[in-house]
Amino acid sequence: MPKVTVDGVELEVPQGATVLQACELAGKEIPRFCYHERLSIAGNCRMCLVEVAPGPPKPQASCALPAADGQTIRTDTPMVKKAREGVMEFLLINHPLDCPICDQGGECDLQDQAMAYGRSDSRFDENKRAVEDKYMGPIVKTAMTRCIQCTRCVRFSDEVAGTPQMGMLFRGEDAQITSYLESALTSELSGNLVDLCPVGALLSRPYSFEARPWELRKVPGVDVMDAVGTNIRMDVRSGQVMRILPRINDAVNEEWAHDKTRHHVDALVRNRLDRPWLRDKGKLREATWAEALDVFAKAFSKAGNKIAAIAGDLVDAETMYAAKALLESAGSSLLEGRQTGLDYDVTSLGAVRFNTPIAEIENADTVLLVGTNLRWEAPLVNTRVRKAARRGVKVFAIGPEVDLAYPVTWLGNDLGMLGKLPKDAADALAKAERPVMIVGPGALAAGGLGAALAAAGDFIKGGWNGFNVLHTAASRMAGLLLGYAQKGGIADIAKAKPELVISLGADEVQDGAFDSAFTVYIGHHGDKGARSADLVLPGAAYAEKHGTWVNIEGRVQRGERASFPPGDAREDWTILRALSDLIGKPLPFDRFDQLRAAMIADVPGLGAEEGTILDLGFKAPKIGSKAVGPVAYPIADFYLTNAICRASPTMKRCSEELVHGVQFLEAAE
């Protein structure tokens, strides 16, 4: 490894590191605008200048200069200071000094670095140029006069998102960044451009003029829009979640979040259930908590042991455990979380989880996708596969052809191919040392798990397990750990003809599945499940309670409460605890910490340290008939997959414009 000296401190740096990275390893702060750790090097802002010897007697851009053995690097000389001041002075020639009205104010790299490294005055007094704002869709708002052409947005769109829709027009003072034909960005990752922009040229359209960063309280949480378990930060003001940003976690989401994660937040205050509702003469009417719980208790006692609980896609583990304990007190084990009718074998949880750590997907040398539209079902897993594809790794897929943002060899839409892959795919898998197969919900719905498991041996080599099942529900893995799975799925529960069905935010159950049962809906939005229920009890959304979630890998993660439920709504577990008193079978916990302790005592894995991937083993269940036939992807609209998204004006606009092609006319300003 090369040895370098940074401001008098000698250290070894990894082979291939840049001078900028060497300076950071030495604890020195190097200003930058164009450089980003996860993007290719552009070297065009020149803010990261340092002195390097041996070398020319002038400052050099540290981001684009490889660290070499014997280099002496200086970051604090008068030459470096003067050079940085000069660069900052040039950057500010045309930048509008509109910090008081800029949404980036308080979180602006240019603002911070102008204070730290800039001059106190400017020698330029010419008129500043102006650039027309560009329309980039419902997520990204532009103020292009502020742009300094760092090209972070261009590189992210091309390299990470895989949608090369941004570029630079013209040269010199006339240079400007734009989207292709100034049309809306179609990437589901476009919200990350706002985080990447260092100067406020790209802003969040839904969040604009809503709050200032110093007004916000920051609460860590876990995203529930898919099953990846993206680490998020909820920014709260006056009891309302104002925005959601990703937290850095290299093992899960790196520092990205997809647009559904970021912008469903406006639905947390819309279409909310904030009081109990009781069906009376065919119509729902408002009720008091006392009346609602009394009706619930009578229905529970009357049903005996013919009681079922259906867990929705967004439910936390603690709520599911409380419901399970309540049903066990009545002698029932009718628990299910796969609302859409999936009935795959769960006798081995290792055979129905994502066995390859998400971060290792990019190191695969062959990838086979089976019945998954990965770009919509798990966008941040798709970015990892794209990294592998950019290295030249072959990606094969079985299913209807879709754009996954990287080259894919489509083998057809017949799961029977798993038994006999075409020669090019079979040869690639035979030679691969780290092969990966991702079995999606489309294959599971078509009964494809057995066929996939029959082929799983080709993907387990030495210490590498490349067999992966992809779920789309945030509650799925925790639900499976807690026993929310019947042998025949939800169809088995329907056959049991329960007299009482407790729906824990289950909005995707097929209409008419439990028409003969008394249905109690405990949830937070007035979606399909609430509209068809006999009793509606207002619960808490994921941002309004502490909770445990387990992602597709089996990684245990915990979210904190950012705000409180609206109106008379209550945390879900407290509703079940109150009911247990009324039926004379009180649950053995009165506080949340007691509930979590009881859950961990019953399922120790759920008490694992934050971020731990559970050891679920891998034992293939007995394989029945192999599936043969076509696949249909379950997600028809990326932006409207759950009750929260369907209540979000931003998600509806994204759906109409980006999925269904509706054109919106922008008013002239």
Side-chain angles (χ1 to χ4, degrees), residues 132-197:
E132 274 190 10
D133 291 346
K134 309 294 189 291
Y135 180 70
M136 293 189 181
I139 296 299
V140 180
K141 176 184 176 182
T142 63
M144 299 311 294
T145 300
R146 300 171 185 157
C147 180
I148 62 169
Q149 289 84 44
C150 72
T151 68
R152 280 186 181 184
C153 54
V154 177
R155 284 174 283 147
F156 175 85
S157 297
D158 187 33
E159 298 165 12
V160 179
T163 51
Q165 297 171 313
M166 298 189 72
M168 184 183 290
L169 297 178
F170 315 126
R171 302 180 68 184
E173 188 181 41
D174 296 323
Q176 51 184 283
I177 299 289
T178 181
S179 59
Y180 181 66
L181 298 180
E182 297 194 21
S183 58
L185 302 175
T186 59
S187 171
E188 64 287 345
L189 299 170
S190 62
N192 294 290
L193 298 175
V194 177
D195 289 352
L196 286 171
C197 182

Side-chain angles (χ1 to χ4, degrees), residues 199-413:
V199 296
L202 303 179
L203 300 165
S204 170
R205 185 179 290 272
Y207 176 71
S208 285
F209 307 115
E210 292 292 330
R212 287 295 199 181
W214 54 84
E215 302 174 323
L216 303 172
R217 179 171 56 89
K218 299 167 178 61
V219 182
V222 180
D223 174 48
V224 298
M225 295 295 112
D226 58 25
V228 173
T230 299
N231 287 208
I232 59 174
R233 188 189 88 196
M234 296 173 279
D235 288 356
V236 186
R237 186 187 68 184
S238 300
Q240 179 181 340
V241 180
M242 303 301 294
R243 68 173 175 180
I244 289 175
L245 297 175
R247 285 185 290 135
I248 296 175
N249 187 331
D250 287 331
V252 182
N253 57 292
E254 298 180 286
E255 62 186 79
W256 316 127
H258 57 72
D259 292 346
K260 199 162 51 171
T261 298
R262 290 174 181 271
H263 296 298
H264 70 269
V265 67
D266 53 1
L268 293 176
V269 293
R270 286 176 169 85
N271 202 31
R272 290 300 303 270
L273 297 171
D274 60 357
R275 69 202 73 176
W277 294 81
L278 175 64
R279 191 169 297 280
D280 190 1
K281 297 179 182 177
K283 292 185 178 181
L284 288 171
R285 65 168 176 83
E286 291 183 34
T288 64
W289 268 112
E291 182 184 11
L293 286 174
D294 186 54
V295 170
F296 193 0
K298 287 177 180 175
F300 194 95
S301 299
K302 181 182 175 185
N305 64 354
K306 291 203 164 192
I307 304 171
I310 312 296
D313 291 349
L314 314 179
V315 186
D316 57 295
E318 284 83 359
T319 295
M320 289 188 282
Y321 177 76
K324 177 184 178 182
L326 189 66
L327 262 66
E328 284 177 347
S329 72
S332 173
S333 60
L334 296 176
L335 304 169
E336 185 56 74
R338 299 167 295 178
Q339 306 172 66
T340 55
L342 299 181
D343 61 351
Y344 47 83
D345 193 334
V346 297
T347 52
S348 170
L349 294 186
V352 290
R353 68 110 168 246
F354 213 87
N355 288 288
T356 309
I358 290 173
E360 289 296 318
I361 292 293
E362 59 197 62
N363 297 321
D365 49 15
T366 304
V367 178
L368 174 62
L369 307 177
V370 182
T372 174
N373 178 359
L374 197 59
R375 185 172 168 183
W376 277 9
E377 292 162 6
L380 297 181
V381 175
N382 199 53
T383 61
R384 304 281 190 167
V385 176
R386 176 171 165 73
K387 280 189 186 182
R390 291 188 74 218
R391 289 192 292 105
V393 170
K394 291 281 286 181
V395 180
F396 302 93
I398 298 173
E401 294 190 22
V402 291
D403 178 12
L404 295 177
Y406 44 82
V408 178
T409 303
W410 293 93
L411 305 178
N413 187 16

Side-chain angles (χ1 to χ4, degrees), residues 33 47 88 92 109-119:
F33 292 113
M47 194 65 204
M88 181 60 69
L92 293 176
D109 291 349
L110 185 67
Q111 196 178 51
D112 296 341
Q113 292 183 38
M115 291 292 293
Y117 303 102
R119 291 167 54 96

